Amino acid sequence: MATHMARFRTWGQVRRFGIAAYRRYSSSTGYPNVSLSAPLPGIPKPVFASVDGHEKYETKITTLENGLKVASQNKFGQFCTVGILINSGSRHEAKYPSGIAHFLEKLAFSSTAQYGSKDEILLTLEKHGGICDCQASRDTTMYAVSAEVKGLDTVVSLLSDAVLQPRLLDEEIEMTRTAVRFELEDLNMRPDPEPLLTEMIHAAAFRGNTVGLPRFCPAENLEKIDRDLLTTYLRSYYCPERMVLAGVGIEHEQLVACARKYLLGMTPVWGAGTPEKVDRSVAQYTGGIVKTEKDMSDVSLGPTPIPELTHIMIGLESCSFLEDDFIPFAVLNMMMGGGGSFSAGGPGKGMFTRLYLNVLNRHHWMYNATSYHHSYEDSGLLCIHASADPRQVREMVEIITREFIQMSSVAGEMELERAKTQLKSMLMMNLESRPVIFEDVGRQVLATGQRKLPHELCQLISSVTAADVKRVTSRMLRSKPAVAALGDLSELPSYEHIQAALSSKDGRLPRTYRLFR
């Protein structure tokens, strides 16, 4: 009777928890010897969903009579992301006071011809479960809305009104001026200096031109920007041939119909006319140094304050995102990787990248070493950001210059494959998000008039060889360095010494001798 009850109890466990619950984890014969690479015996053969080619997921593009491009990508779900991307940003402000794009970003979705205030716009979007946002970068301004698919007509109408019919009232401009002033103060006070360093490295690399112009409005220009100046700028850059209406999660024909209804033949509030003062200059890489002496001892007070650090960013010219070398540069950037000294995680977090293995793991006093790659339609910049105690700045700079020189060594097969796999993984994971797909569709169509699909990009990444990485590194090392430095700079080497180190075989700084210390 007891044996029968034990068997019944065991069979109940198998039925309830599966066969894994019955396995005896020992050397006894009860442990089944089943290969993990072969199908389990007695299990029905799985039937996987299949896709008939890529035609259901291709980006469809239509150009309207006025030059506006409409691009869409269908995606399953009840919500969609729709927006207007404009070929306009801080790089186009050469003939204007810098800061206009920053002002327009803050003024977005304020009162329009159809809506009396920002609150009215938000209430209208709430009826369709929607949110709105505007982001201005160095080369693109993006107005975007995420809402229910059923509200597409309202969304496109609202976008058309926000972009082409803003009222630009004096009180709104004054509020924006206050918001920008506050943001500038916050930028100089925040513990994370990365946005400020990025601004400085661009100013050093492209001194006084295109992407080197300030992305944030300089304090001295706050009072210069008024309604007339904004209207003149909008007349020059907010024209249909410089715009893309992009949508994700909607039918292409439906989006084109809405575009024809609300964006074709629509006269902007600044009037129809031939664009004037359009800046078509090409980015000129200059190299150079931008330094800001600053007391960083009190940037993060509290129970666990961040120690005083000096931040250095060194960059070299890479390439445009339109060039074939863009993909090898992206692989090189992923191979360098890096991060903060307190970052936790396994190989997926980049713990096997060069800046972790060669820098952070070997030099405990370095708080950060991270690689960044900025790419634009006519140039690019690959840079390394590092931070350490002010007394060790010289040693830190030499470590970074040596890493730049070692980039030209032949990458190992495993290292290269790991970097390519990480890049493809990051690409595919990011493109699971609807807003990211929207931005990718809009930016690619705005820049090239077409879109490369993820599987095409993965094929390009897979085809990168160690010789490609070595070739683009050699090309990059021929350019002058761009240097940004923030904090206590008493131990910072001269620009000429940094340039000499990047021209040497081993990346070492020239020796300096002091009679008195």
Side-chain angles (χ1 to χ4, degrees), residues 469-483:
V469 175
K470 185 177 174 65
R471 176 175 51 78
V472 298
T473 302
S474 300
R475 166 187 168 174
M476 180 178 69
L477 287 169
R478 287 196 292 268
S479 63
K480 289 175 63 178
V483 182

Side-chain angles (χ1 to χ4, degrees), residues 68-70 81-87 109 133-135 140-145 155-164 237-240 242-247 255 259 262-263 438 442-443 446:
L68 178 92
K69 291 184 179 69
V70 182
T81 300
V82 182
I84 294 175
L85 290 93
I86 306 157
N87 186 10
F109 297 103
D133 187 28
C134 178
Q135 293 178 6
T140 311
T141 302
M142 181 174 66
Y143 296 76
V145 172
V155 165
V156 177
S157 169
L158 190 151
L159 281 166
S160 170
D161 224 41
V163 174
L164 300 175
Y237 291 101
Y238 278 43
C239 45
R242 299 178 69 92
M243 294 182 185
V244 169
L245 174 67
L255 186 62
Y262 296 111
L263 291 163
F438 156 77
R443 285 183 179 275
L446 189 65

Side-chain angles (χ1 to χ4, degrees), residues 286-353:
T286 60
I289 186 167
V290 172
K291 300 187 289 186
T292 302
E293 285 270 3
K294 186 179 178 185
D295 180 12
M296 305 286 284
S297 59
D298 59 351
V299 291
S300 178
L301 301 174
T304 54
I306 297 174
E308 182 182 0
L309 300 173
T310 295
H311 301 272
I312 307 293
M313 196 177 268
I314 301 175
L316 295 168
E317 186 181 18
S318 60
C319 73
S320 151
F321 57 65
L322 300 174
E323 295 180 49
D324 293 338
D325 282 347
F326 173 66
I327 300 294
F329 267 116
V331 173
L332 174 63
N333 179 57
M334 189 59 69
M335 195 185 300
M336 297 309 296
S341 59
F342 296 109
S343 179
K349 287 289 293 291
M351 297 301 239
F352 285 100
T353 58

Side-chain angles (χ1 to χ4, degrees), residues 466-517:
D468 292 328
V469 175
K470 185 177 174 65
R471 176 175 51 78
V472 298
T473 302
S474 300
R475 166 187 168 174
M476 180 178 69
L477 287 169
R478 287 196 292 268
S479 63
K480 289 175 63 178
V483 182
L486 178 69
D488 180 352
L489 308 179
S490 55
E491 295 295 319
L492 178 71
S494 68
Y495 178 76
E496 289 73 24
H497 281 191
I498 295 171
Q499 191 172 3
L502 289 168
S503 304
S504 66
K505 290 183 178 179
D506 56 5
R508 291 185 180 277
L509 291 164
R511 298 298 95 188
T512 56
Y513 301 96
R514 296 183 187 177
L515 188 59
F516 302 104
R517 287 190 177 274

Side-chain angles (χ1 to χ4, degrees), residues 184-210:
L184 293 176
E185 290 174 7
D186 178 64
L187 195 68
N188 288 302
M189 291 170 63
R190 64 173 61 180
D192 176 25
E194 199 267 326
L196 198 57
L197 279 167
T198 303
E199 187 82 353
M200 292 166 67
I201 196 79
H202 278 82
F206 304 92
R207 190 173 295 275
N209 75 90
T210 58

Side-chain angles (χ1 to χ4, degrees), residues 19-33:
I19 198 166
Y22 182 57
R23 289 179 178 169
R24 298 173 188 169
Y25 294 92
S26 66
S27 58
S28 68
T29 55
Y31 189 83
N33 186 20

